């Protein structure tokens, strides 16, 4: 099941770009700059609320529908890093095309979806539903066939098509990768390990605050008084 949501319409994106240009032309500390910043912040806040609402709804659906949820351990910071400049070896001070424009568009698309926000919202919701939330390393999951488990980069025909070079299994590339991620998560979940599971609610302390204060005071008094602590006075 695919979840896709557009948080800002084209008209809103153009309006936000206009406000950003208007803000850039203002002088720092001026009233005009404060007014432009307030209008831009209002427009961007609307998109943030939509993104947060979408994450909360998806988290509710996942946590109430499944006992185990597996996420890819993606580093959004590294994925959205800027492309390093490519100097021209034949001309000093010049640079060659490095695909920065297309990479910038990909970075905006990744950040707009709010992957990490969805994971955080799911973990928060899982505390109340008892759902297990696990993250696994997604390495080679897009190149591995979920039927025969053969790893071959040539099986990934395109962004959307996966056709195994070994057994011929054909499936949507993202669905195939998701099945591999789920398999890895189930294997990790089946392994016994110390500590509480991910997303689990911590046990609540049933002792009241007054009882805690009394116990702490009694312990301190016993430590300060050798007779109460069972240590004979010299």
């Amino acid at each position: 099941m695919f979840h896709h949501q557009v948080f800002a319409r084209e008209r809103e994106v153009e309006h936000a770009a206009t406000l950003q240009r208007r803000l850039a032309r203002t002088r720092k500390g001026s009233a005009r700059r404060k007014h432009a910043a307030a209008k831009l912040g209002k427009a961007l806040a609307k998109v943030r609320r939509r993104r947060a609402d979408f994450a909360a709804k998806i988290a509710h659906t996942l946590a109430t529908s499944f006992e185990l949820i597996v996420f890819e351990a993606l580093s959004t910071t590294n994925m959205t890093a800027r492309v390093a400049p490519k100097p021209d070896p034949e001309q000093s001070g010049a640079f060659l095309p490095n695909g920065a424009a297309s990479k910038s568009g990909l970075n905006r698309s990744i950040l707009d979806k709010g992957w990490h926000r969805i994971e955080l919202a799911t973990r928060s919701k899982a505390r109340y539903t008892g759902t297990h939330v696990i993250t696994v390393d997604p390495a080679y999951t897009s190149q591995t066939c979920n039927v025969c488990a053969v790893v071959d980069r040539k099986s990934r025909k395109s962004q959307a098509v996966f056709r195994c070079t070994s057994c011929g299994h054909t499936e949507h590339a993202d669905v195939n990768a998701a099945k591999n991620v789920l398999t890895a998560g189930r294997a990790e979940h089946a392994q016994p390990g110390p500590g509480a599971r991910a997303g689990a609610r911590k046990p609540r302390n049933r002792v009241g605050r007054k009882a805690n204060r009394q116990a702490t005071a009694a312990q301190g008094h016993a430590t300060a008084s050798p007779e109460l602590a069972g240590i004979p006075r010299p």
Side-chain angles (χ1 to χ4, degrees):
M1 180 172 54
F2 291 89
H3 296 280
H4 176 69
Q5 178 69 29
V6 177
F7 303 108
R9 294 182 290 271
E10 294 184 4
R11 183 176 179 181
E12 293 176 327
V13 173
E14 295 176 358
H15 180 60
T18 302
L19 294 178
Q20 287 177 339
R21 290 192 296 267
R22 187 177 302 172
L23 176 65
R25 291 194 297 264
T26 58
R27 182 168 48 85
K28 292 184 178 181
S30 63
R32 185 163 171 252
R33 184 179 183 85
K34 293 180 180 180
H35 180 69
K39 293 189 66 174
L40 178 60
K42 184 178 180 180
L44 297 179
K46 184 184 297 184
V47 178
R48 287 196 299 267
R49 288 194 298 269
R50 292 174 183 170
R51 190 180 293 112
D53 179 71
F54 176 75
K57 290 179 179 178
I58 292 298
H60 175 79
T61 301
L62 294 176
T64 56
S65 303
F66 304 98
E67 296 182 358
L68 174 64
I69 302 173
V70 185
F71 286 99
E72 295 179 339
L74 300 176
S75 177
T76 308
T77 303
N78 296 336
M79 294 175 64
T80 56
R82 292 183 177 180
V83 181
K86 188 177 181 181
D88 189 351
E90 298 180 357
Q91 185 176 359
S92 178
F95 296 89
L96 299 175
N98 60 349
S102 59
K103 184 61 169 62
S104 178
L106 177 62
N107 293 348
R108 286 194 299 268
S109 178
I110 292 175
L111 295 174
D112 179 66
K113 299 306 176 185
W115 295 342
H116 188 57
R117 180 188 292 270
I118 294 177
E119 179 184 344
L120 293 179
T122 304
R123 289 186 179 276
S124 178
K125 185 65 178 179
R127 296 181 302 165
Y128 302 95
T129 61
T131 303
H132 298 261
V133 181
I134 297 177
T135 55
V136 297
D137 185 5
Y140 302 105
T141 54
S142 62
Q143 303 175 9
T144 304
C145 178
N146 69 83
V147 176
C148 64
V150 172
V151 182
D152 188 357
R153 61 181 302 179
K154 296 181 180 179
S155 298
R156 186 72 181 264
K157 299 299 181 181
S158 65
Q159 183 66 26
V161 178
F162 179 90
R163 185 177 295 108
C164 181
T165 57
S166 177
C167 67
H169 172 68
T170 303
E171 196 171 18
H172 194 286
D174 292 336
V175 175
N176 176 78
K179 290 180 179 180
N180 293 327
V181 170
L182 179 60
T183 301
R186 286 173 174 171
E188 181 177 339
H189 177 61
Q191 297 178 359
R197 58 178 174 79
R201 179 196 291 270
K202 295 182 179 179
R204 181 179 297 178
N205 186 7
R206 298 297 180 180
V207 182
R209 294 183 178 180
K210 183 177 180 180
N212 281 334
R213 290 196 300 268
Q214 292 176 350
T216 304
Q219 183 179 1
H221 183 60
T223 304
S225 177
E227 293 180 353
L228 293 178
I231 303 176
R233 186 187 296 273

